[in-house]
Amino acid sequence: MENNKSGMTLFVKTSSRLVAVLGLIFGMHIILHGHLAPGGGFAGGVIIALSFVLLILAFGKDAALSKLSLKLASNLENVGALLFLIIGLLGFSGGAFFLNVLVKGSPFRLFSAGTIPLNNVVIGLKVGVGLFVIFLTLVILEKSKKEQ
Amino acid sequence: MLKANIIPLFVIIPLLSAFLISLLGKYLKRQFIYVFSNISCFLLLYFSFYGLNMLRSCGSNIFVYKIGGWAPPFGICLVFDGLAGFMLVIVNLIAFIVNIYSLNYIEKYTDKPKFFTLVFLMLTGMNGLIVTGDLFNLYIFLEVASLSSYALVAFGTDSEDLEASFKYAIMGSLASIFVFLGIAILYGFTSTLNMADMAMIIAEKTGSRIIPFVSVLFIVGFGTKAALMPVHAWLPDAHPAAPASISAMLSGVLIKTLGIYALARILFNVIGISSAISSILVFLGALSLSVAVLLAFAQTDLKRLLAYSSISQVGYIILGIGLATPLGILGALFHLFNHSAIKSLLFLNAGAIDYAAGTRDLREMSGLKEKMPVTANTSLAASLSVAGIPPFAGFFSKLIIIFACIEKGYIGYAFIAVIGSILTLATFMKMQKLAFFGKLNEKYNYLKEVPLAMKLSMVVLAVICVCGGLLLLPRWNFFLSDAANVLLEGSHYAVKVFEAVK
């Protein structure tokens, strides 16, 4: 990230470095509190993806790709979708597809509501990585168009 | 209740296959992907027949599955009845055959795991749409199937493919907005999204002007997906641009599932069909079948000709469904079955010619029968069937639709249907003459017949085209009549769903 040649000016880099971390944490907060407060896997995933997009905008494509390569990102996306399906399939152990088989706990606690927080986490993974891949693809396409 | 446990499998199997192929496809041998995709298609086909058989044997003629154990109207339920079973058999049968065909056909495309991922996602959307008992869930599956089909149309990534895909995506999204608006208004009107619950509430609240309005929204939305005549413009571009095996899926089952099945299910079973709506459908059907066949006749691109012919044949199905009489619906569903086999086969033939000779232009090919006998003969069977020549299946379904028109007193529409059938015959005789008969073009002396897997799938479909008429025999009749009865009983569907979950 200390590469000064690519990306925007020092001001943008410094401030976006702070904001990106905050965005990441805020996204995780939204995902983990999906069953208690407004928001959830999708909204939190979008926020996480945006914090990565911010890094791309400030530091250039390569800096973000060194943290998360395109191949790993697309694999993670598939894993997210598969895990969601597997959580649904877990319900068969209790008798029905998507049955909430885990211990529900007491309401309004962070660790409660059985499989719903798990679903939120995998949706967050899928959506966050998915949006990141879409953005990266657009960036790479734009770059290859310029080179031609 | 245990018997209903197979219903979610229609969504689980293709979804799991799609993401497993996408995740592991890069690391595995190609043959393994083929075997895997064929196994899951076969499982889907097996479960469709198994479900249909179970429906017959246990006598309750409807299964309802509660997702997550939540009973309707609060939870999402999956419904397997005669019509759903009928559609599932068609979709999974065509998908299985097309999958076998794809083994050789997609050699020329680069990213094979992505191809199968998209095919399985499309299959997830179609199967899910068929079994769902929840209106918003239906919309989600509609979008899953549509979005993957947009990507599949652009799979060749030529400029022509991309343009067609873009046009399709724009028109498809507009159609989805109409459907979504209709669902939103219905939700506001009935405060429920469960189709059975909604049907009950609508049956009580009579005389509202919302219902005709929503019906028109659905006709526009699903009509675009089914390529009815005024809103058909995407289909003649999209279907030729896609790889042939995908064209076969799109034309054979996608427009029927997303368009006709969804429209018929909602109009008949949920909001109830009025005589005004029914006459709109009949008019649109007659318009499609007569105008599109004229357009088809003028085409020189083989796949474009087939695409216009698809619009025309969908017109027949909509005409039959719009009649809303037992005979009309029976004919429409029978034609739906026949047309999915016929048009899949014709597109696979076009793909075989493209594979061997590398052309889609009818003016360039001539006398291919000499070099590609299997393709030529199966194509002849499909052409005769779609044109309605007596022993073939297409004849019986068109005859039933024409009889249904006469029975309802629509002599003019019956006449149009007959004229349309004659023009279809002319179109396909032109196609046969230009492509397969006559003298072999010098430059095609090197041609060889396509590989075994492609031949096999074409022959299987040709057998269905020829023997489809047997479905009218009393022994096999239940396949069609069970499906037609579901539509005919109208909002009694709701009562049966609620009885089944008790």
Side-chain angles (χ1 to χ4, degrees), chain B residues 71-284:
Chain B
F74 307 109
I76 292 172
C77 62
L78 302 178
V79 180
F80 188 103
D81 55 12
L83 183 61
F86 172 77
M87 289 301 297
L88 282 174
V89 167
I90 295 177
V91 168
N92 294 317
L93 182 69
I94 301 292
F96 179 58
I97 293 171
V98 163
N99 230 294
I100 294 177
Y101 179 91
S102 298
L103 301 194
N104 296 114
Y105 181 76
I106 65 158
E107 286 295 320
K108 62 176 178 176
Y109 295 98
T110 46
D111 200 343
K112 291 164 193 77
K114 276 221 173 64
F115 177 86
F116 283 110
T117 305
L118 287 168
V119 168
F120 275 111
L121 278 179
M122 192 164 88
L123 207 52
T124 310
M126 289 193 284
N127 280 342
L129 190 145
I130 291 167
V131 293
T132 189
D134 183 275
L135 207 51
F136 191 73
N137 214 228
L138 183 142
Y139 175 76
I140 299 290
F141 283 122
L142 179 86
E143 281 294 85
V144 170
S146 305
L147 285 173
S148 33
S149 70
Y150 304 152
L152 279 170
V153 167
F155 202 76
T157 60
D158 290 339
S159 61
E160 183 199 350
D161 302 351
L162 295 175
E163 189 195 332
S165 168
F166 188 67
K167 193 172 178 183
Y168 178 26
I170 298 285
M171 288 198 69
S173 317
L174 261 177
S176 301
I177 291 172
F178 273 100
V179 173
F180 190 71
L181 188 62
I183 292 172
I185 292 173
L186 271 185
Y187 183 40
F189 182 61
T190 61
S191 327
T192 178
L193 281 170
N194 187 279
M195 276 153 67
D197 197 30
M198 194 177 262
M200 277 188 160
I201 293 173
I202 287 173
E204 284 165 16
K205 288 188 179 183
T206 48
S208 165
R209 287 192 190 162
I210 284 184
I211 298 305
F213 180 61
V214 169
S215 310
V216 172
L217 286 179
F218 283 140
I219 289 179
V220 177
F222 292 124
T224 313
K225 299 272 182 198
L228 270 180
M229 197 59 195
V231 281
H232 68 285
W234 60 270
L235 190 143
D237 286 336
H239 287 198
S245 47
I246 296 308
S247 309
M249 287 274 276
L250 292 180
S251 232
V253 288
L254 189 89
I255 54 172
K256 302 194 177 65
T257 313
L258 262 54
I260 297 165
Y261 168 82
L263 184 66
R265 176 69 96 183
I266 291 179
L267 279 187
F268 281 85
N269 287 151
V270 181
I271 57 184
I273 188 163
S274 64
S275 61
I277 296 298
S278 133
S279 54
I280 289 176
L281 283 181
V282 170
F283 176 75
L284 290 178

Side-chain angles (χ1 to χ4, degrees), chain A:
Chain A
M1 267 195 207
E2 298 307 322
N3 181 7
N4 286 322
K5 283 175 191 130
S6 66
M8 296 195 183
T9 61
L10 187 64
F11 297 108
V12 182
K13 281 184 181 172
T14 313
S15 51
S16 62
R17 201 177 309 169
L18 294 173
V19 176
V21 174
L22 280 181
L24 206 62
I25 294 172
F26 183 58
M28 285 174 184
H29 170 87
I30 295 275
I31 291 176
L32 290 178
H33 288 77
H35 55 298
L36 305 173
F42 194 94
V46 171
I47 295 170
I48 288 182
L50 286 183
S51 73
F52 274 94
V53 168
L54 193 64
L55 286 183
I56 296 180
L57 290 178
F59 292 92
K61 173 170 68 75
D62 302 326
L65 278 180
S66 69
K67 296 260 179 285
L68 185 62
S69 74
L70 191 59
K71 197 174 174 190
L72 179 66
S74 93
N75 281 347
L76 274 181
E77 192 190 352
N78 289 322
V79 168
L82 278 177
L83 281 178
F84 186 75
L85 192 60
I86 286 168
I87 292 172
L89 288 175
L90 272 185
F92 272 123
S93 66
F97 189 39
F98 271 109
L99 186 71
N100 198 337
V101 283
L102 297 182
V103 184
K104 310 282 190 304
S106 57
F108 305 113
R109 308 298 298 209
L110 185 57
F111 296 102
S112 63
T115 55
I116 294 174
L118 293 180
N119 277 332
N120 272 327
V121 169
V122 292
I123 293 172
L125 180 70
K126 160 96 184 139
V127 172
V129 178
L131 271 180
F132 179 69
V133 169
I134 290 173
F135 187 79
L136 265 185
T137 315
L138 292 177
V139 168
I140 292 167
L141 272 182
E142 186 66 22
K143 204 177 161 217
S144 64
K145 212 159 62 182
K146 270 180 194 154
E147 277 165 4
Q148 272 170 10

